Amino acid sequence: MTDAALAVPPSSSLISRGLLYGFIGVAIFGGSLPATRAAVLGLDPWFVSAARAVGAAVLGGLWLMVMRPALPARRDWLGLAIVGACVVIAFPVFTGLALQFVPASHGILFVGLMPLATCLVGALIGTVRPRRAFWPWAVFGAVTVAGYAVYEGGGRFGAADLLMVGAVIATGIGYAEGARLSHHMAPAAVISWALVVCLPLSLPAMVMTWPAAPELVPASAWIGLCYVTLFSMFIGFLFWYRGLVLGGTARVSQIQLFQPFIGLGLAAVFLGEEVGWSLLLGSVMVTISVARARRYA
């Protein structure tokens, strides 16, 4: 796709398709933290992080062998390494470690900040140019999440909260860089190459952290691992990056506003977690702040 083509505003049909793809991706990602929580309750979080990356790399490698896309340009390898480091390694590791100590519903509130993180990184790399009014709403969203974390933590910001902050920052970088690459690479190629690039790290890590007694691991943990491997690490990105390209990063990324509520519902249904008034209030406030911030992105 040429720079001239990118300058043409997308048609209404492309926008509609982009929004549909984006919503499917967000619905898939909404199950990521509940599935990760289920996995780390029975498996080592380092193993979960490595195994999901290896399994998704196998899928990505199969896609590359079947579709045979052109090799990435030399200038794109650094971007692919950044995507891999952020969404293949950093996000799974940070969330896996954090969800050992806090319920998925606690971590999901942090996920509500991902659109802001994506926009902030987009501003840094020049794909998004937010107006001045964007920044107060971005700060309001961040303060809301920090206030909730301190309230739930009995007056302190815990280690799990810091890990979730790291996960949000990593995801924002990975989403923004992946969207940039997807303008001239197939979205499936972006995530597939990012997964393959990380394989020299993820495969040895998986072998070294393999559970000593796999037969004793509860089925729920394996199901959670399968979900984050198949859907969160691969299929979800196919829909998400495609949606960002077709509908525009600023427009489609607003759909992430639904992700916390999807995740909260899944955590309540499948993990039996209690969704209290403070969590719902915090989610609503974050959603409002992100919606207003996106308006000025």
Side-chain angles (χ1 to χ4, degrees):
M1 188 177 292
T2 63
D3 293 338
L6 290 175
V8 179
S11 66
S12 59
S13 62
L14 284 180
I15 292 174
S16 298
R17 287 171 58 195
L19 292 172
L20 176 60
Y21 280 123
F23 182 79
I24 295 173
V26 165
I28 290 172
F29 292 145
S32 296
L33 289 194
T36 300
R37 171 70 171 173
V40 299
L41 288 177
L43 292 163
D44 187 305
W46 293 101
F47 171 75
V48 172
S49 301
R52 65 190 281 183
V54 171
V58 172
L59 297 174
L62 290 173
W63 186 91
L64 292 171
M65 287 190 292
V66 171
M67 302 305 296
R68 296 183 179 277
L71 286 173
R74 183 180 299 178
R75 68 178 185 277
D76 292 330
W77 285 108
L78 176 59
L80 291 169
I82 291 173
V83 173
C86 292
V87 303
V88 178
I89 296 177
F91 179 80
V93 168
F94 288 155
T95 55
L97 293 173
L99 293 178
Q100 290 182 103
F101 308 106
V102 295
S105 55
H106 183 94
I108 285 168
L109 188 58
F110 287 84
V111 172
L113 292 177
M114 286 182 181
L116 297 183
T118 304
C119 189
L120 287 171
V121 177
L124 291 175
I125 65 178
T127 59
V128 178
R129 295 179 177 85
R131 287 180 281 172
R132 186 174 299 176
F134 165 85
W135 303 106
W137 286 108
V139 171
F140 177 74
V143 170
T144 297
V145 173
Y148 170 79
V150 171
Y151 172 78
E152 288 294 309
R156 62 185 183 87
F157 202 75
D161 300 316
L162 292 175
L163 288 168
M164 288 305 305
V165 169
V168 169
I169 294 173
T171 304
I173 295 172
Y175 279 1
E177 183 62 20
R180 186 187 70 81
L181 292 171
S182 294
H183 282 300
H184 58 274
M185 295 175 63
V190 172
I191 189 59
S192 295
W193 282 116
L195 288 161
V196 171
V197 165
C198 293
L199 200 54
L201 292 176
S202 58
L203 182 57
M206 183 187 73
V207 174
M208 289 187 294
T209 57
W210 192 270
E215 68 279 3
L216 299 180
V217 176
S220 58
W222 291 117
I223 292 172
L225 176 58
C226 288
Y227 183 93
V228 295
T229 299
L230 181 62
F231 291 97
S232 302
M233 291 293 289
F234 189 72
I235 295 177
F237 282 102
L238 304 187
F239 287 99
W240 180 241
Y241 282 150
R242 186 63 175 167
L244 291 176
V245 172
L246 292 178
T249 300
R251 184 180 295 107
V252 175
S253 64
Q254 294 183 54
I255 299 175
Q256 285 179 302
L257 296 172
F258 295 104
Q259 187 169 337
F261 300 101
I262 294 173
L264 290 175
L266 293 173
V269 171
F270 292 102
L271 297 177
E273 295 184 0
E274 181 180 353
V275 180
W277 68 268
S278 60
L279 183 55
L280 284 175
L281 177 61
S283 297
V284 170
M285 291 176 66
V286 168
T287 300
I288 293 172
S289 66
V290 174
R292 299 296 298 177
R294 295 301 307 163
R295 179 182 178 184
Y296 300 109

